[in-house]
Amino acid sequence: MTARASGHVRPTGARRSWWLREALAAEAAADPGLASPDAAPPLRGTTTADVAIVGGGYTGLWTAIRIAEQAPGARVVLLESDICGGGPSGRNGGFATGWWDELPTLIERHGVSGAVSAALAIDDAVDEIGTWSAANGVDAWYTRRGTLSVSAAPAQDDKWVEAVAACAATGYGDRYQSLDPQAVQARVASPVIRAGAFMPVAATIQPAVLARGLRRVALERGVVIHEGTRVEELDGERPGWLGGIGSGGRRAQAGKTGRPVRIRTSGDGPGEVIAGSAVVGMNAWAAAWPSFGRRLVTWSSYIVLTEPIPDRLEEIGWTGGEGLADARFTLHYLRTTRDGRIAIGGGGGRAGFGGRIGAVFTDDATATARAEAGLRRLFPSLRGVRIEDAWGGPIDISADHLPSIGTVPGRPIHFAQGYSGNGVAPSLVAGRALAGLALGTEPVGLAPEAAEALVGGRARAFPPEPFRYLGARVIREAIVRREAIEERGETAGPVLREITRLPRRLGYHLSPD
Ligand SMILES: Cc1cc2nc3c(=O)[nH]c(=O)nc-3n(C[C@H](O)[C@H](O)[C@H](O)COP(=O)(O)OP(=O)(O)OC[C@H]3O[C@@H](n4cnc5c(N)ncnc54)[C@H](O)[C@@H]3O)c2cc1C
């Protein structure tokens, strides 16, 4: 890829993200055996497992590690079509943030006490990523300096007011506080940033180092990992390009428990796992499967990375290590790196069709241009700074923008899905809950009120394809256009505003108002 001072930067496409390339290089230098394909070879032939896990991102790996801790004799087999961390867990922005900005939605969904318990569980997860990494020798650049939500246009000025008030009203006013413009500028100086809010329990990490560290620890605890192994059929169900609707072959009969789950794979030839139960941590890929697809819309998110600019960070005063996000619905999220770069993502990706996770998620130069334009707008003084890398990935959006953790009715198949672009900390909690579901125990390390709030509910379904794709595409583009108009200090026309309000009118938390 050619580094450019401005204009379009070609994303990495099928190549690894910058984070993952760094992490794999460090891993190979530290322990060539661990990095070799022999550590996690593709599955060949038939094997058995107490628990089979599909997906080698944070969800699958945390679940595997918790099961290994709770039931050391259990045979856990994890199946990953790529390599562990090859998906969004190795290519995200690395924000581990609390849920206090989601408190009003959480209260709507779980009541005050459930909402607060859930938010406290996510706070614990933010902290535990740090303590776990330190205890297990994973240097994931854990930096717990909080995160700032900022307004970068008049239309964004009051976006956090409701959440800040809900935190104060529930006795957790210290978890999300408004900051006046001077206080924001003292942390990061920008001519377009107006006011903001600060969430102290938030960290940034090198996401791929965490994913690969989880893989190492899982292997050390006896988890059998098969990379390069794609699950083609799960308990009689197959993925379909229409998002699993009307496709996918024979559905297993609901209500039959106590029978094993049969999983067929491809990779180095056909493979099969016969497991007592299964855990699905497929993220956006779940959109292709009949049991999961209707509750997800897939969306792309892209990140661009600057050259190292530590002295320029000094100039804008952004040396505290805080995460930063503007208050657009199609938000820009920014963080600094250990070597003084800025990584900025978002600004509006595209909808995927059905269950297809194709080039739109990894090779969309328009999306990286949008992320880069966000950087240049927020920090005009960085105009000449080169963009050195860019990459993207899919996110799994749920109707209420919050994850669902549960069990497919009548089948020993457990899942976590719908992180909606905020999965780094929640996936740790999901791992605890999924381990409990798979082992038939209460989740360990999760308060009962939090477990009650977080486990068992399911976000509402989306319309079938092609309506899901068309709706998501039209509305999302309308939101991007409206927010661009508002950033210029203008008011969007009534038709555009009405289109962007449609999701909320239909009961989906997927639009700004
Ligand atoms: C660009 C980007 C930026 C993001 N930034 C942030 C952020 O800053 N903070 C935050 O909290 N969240 C962020 N997210 C979201 C976050 O990365 C995810 O929510 C999180 O990684 C989900 O973890 P997971 O294990 O569920 O999914 P993944 O990491 O996607 O893992 C799922 C795995 O399943 C595998 N798989 C799929 N289908 C099959 C199959 N049939 N057989 C076998 N394996 C299969 C995939 O190859 C993949 O490795 C971001 C996402 C993207 C794309």
Side-chain angles (χ1 to χ4, degrees):
M1 188 182 350
T2 328
R4 306 275 294 269
S6 64
H8 299 281
V9 180
R10 276 228 76 81
T12 50
R15 287 199 306 129
R16 303 290 179 207
S17 74
W18 185 83
W19 302 127
L20 188 52
R21 296 200 308 274
E22 291 274 301
L24 290 174
E27 183 180 290
D31 186 344
L34 198 62
S36 99
D38 295 344
L43 175 66
R44 257 191 224 181
T46 299
T47 189
T48 59
D50 295 301
V51 184
I53 296 177
V54 189
Y58 300 141
T59 301
L61 289 164
W62 279 123
T63 306
I65 290 169
R66 299 310 180 194
I67 294 174
E69 281 167 2
Q70 272 176 255
R75 182 172 156 82
V76 182
V77 174
L78 186 149
L79 308 162
E80 165 56 52
S81 57
D82 185 5
I83 61 170
C84 292
S89 294
R91 52 178 62 221
N92 64 73
F95 286 68
T97 43
W99 267 3
W100 300 99
D101 53 344
E102 299 275 6
L103 197 62
T105 309
L106 286 166
I107 290 173
E108 220 175 87
R109 186 164 152 175
H110 306 299
V112 170
S113 129
V116 166
S117 304
L120 289 171
I122 301 296
D123 276 6
D124 288 348
V126 171
D127 287 339
E128 194 181 346
I129 290 171
T131 50
W132 184 92
S133 297
N136 288 280
V138 177
D139 181 10
W141 307 5
Y142 182 81
T143 307
R144 188 186 178 285
R145 298 281 162 72
T147 195
L148 277 168
S149 318
V150 297
S151 155
Q156 296 171 25
D157 279 350
D158 59 353
K159 293 294 182 196
W160 50 81
V161 168
E162 196 192 347
V164 165
C167 291
T170 51
Y172 289 90
D174 60 332
R175 306 293 165 119
Y176 199 39
Q177 297 162 325
S178 293
L179 292 185
D180 62 30
Q182 293 73 25
V184 177
Q185 293 289 333
R187 288 174 182 269
V188 53
S190 152
V192 297
I193 290 179
R194 301 158 64 84
F198 185 62
M199 196 188 300
V201 185
T204 58
I205 58 163
Q206 207 286 26
V209 172
L210 177 62
R212 297 300 293 183
L214 287 165
R215 172 188 183 268
R216 170 175 61 77
V217 172
L219 287 168
E220 284 167 3
R221 307 242 166 121
V223 174
V224 177
I225 299 181
H226 294 292
E227 295 179 328
T229 303
R230 175 179 303 281
V231 171
E232 305 283 359
E233 189 177 308
L234 173 63
D235 204 30
E237 184 173 315
R238 277 187 252 124
W241 65 280
L242 265 181
I245 297 144
S247 62
R250 177 179 68 83
R251 290 283 304 266
Q253 276 182 298
K256 277 195 171 181
T257 47
R259 62 180 170 75
V261 179
R262 202 172 275 270
I263 298 174
R264 292 187 208 282
T265 66
S266 66
D268 189 13
E272 185 180 44
V273 185
I274 297 165
S277 66
V279 170
V280 173
M282 281 190 283
N283 193 9
W285 287 267
W289 292 76
S291 288
F292 312 104
R294 279 292 298 280
R295 302 188 191 252
L296 296 175
V297 170
T298 57
W299 204 263
S300 65
S301 192
Y302 280 81
I303 293 176
V304 300
L305 183 75
T306 69
E307 63 183 318
I309 45 164
D311 45 345
R312 310 297 293 275
L313 292 176
E314 296 262 357
E315 277 165 34
I316 57 176
W318 191 14
T319 51
E322 307 91 338
L324 182 64
D326 66 17
R328 289 163 50 125
F329 185 78
T330 54
L331 87 172
H332 292 107
Y333 47 92
L334 304 78
R335 45 84 52 93
T336 51
T337 65
R338 199 185 248 182
D339 59 348
R341 301 167 190 263
I342 294 177
I344 173 168
R350 281 184 219 257
F353 183 81
R356 290 177 60 178
I357 305 296
V360 78
F361 295 99
T362 51
D363 210 358
D364 181 356
T366 307
T368 52
R370 278 180 180 166
E372 184 185 346
L375 177 73
R376 310 283 183 208
R377 179 176 180 272
L378 287 166
F379 299 109
S381 65
L382 303 183
R383 196 171 296 115
V385 165
R386 282 182 308 131
I387 300 297
E388 284 198 349
D389 221 309
W391 63 91
I395 53 182
D396 55 343
I397 308 274
S398 69
D400 58 7
H401 234 243
L402 291 167
S404 300
I405 304 168
T407 299
V408 177
R411 305 161 81 185
I413 300 177
H414 315 288
F415 63 86
Q417 66 178 55
Y419 293 109
S420 304
N422 180 355
V424 174
S427 57
L428 183 150
V429 176
R432 290 195 179 284
L434 289 166
L437 290 172
L439 295 172
T441 63
E442 292 301 316
V444 172
L446 194 57
E449 314 81 61
E452 199 182 318
L454 291 168
V455 182
R458 268 195 113 168
R460 60 182 299 194
F462 288 102
E465 294 296 10
F467 307 106
R468 178 172 50 168
Y469 169 75
L470 291 173
R473 172 123 206 208
V474 169
I475 291 166
R476 189 76 175 198
E477 282 306 312
I479 294 172
V480 170
R481 279 184 55 199
R482 173 180 160 185
E483 295 194 313
I485 291 169
E486 289 173 347
E487 275 182 352
R488 296 198 297 270
E490 299 163 14
T491 307
V495 175
L496 189 57
R497 283 213 310 276
E498 278 313 300
I499 295 174
T500 61
R501 285 178 177 146
L502 260 177
R504 294 245 174 201
R505 298 241 161 93
L506 297 171
Y508 299 103
H509 284 237
L510 299 179
S511 53
D513 51 20

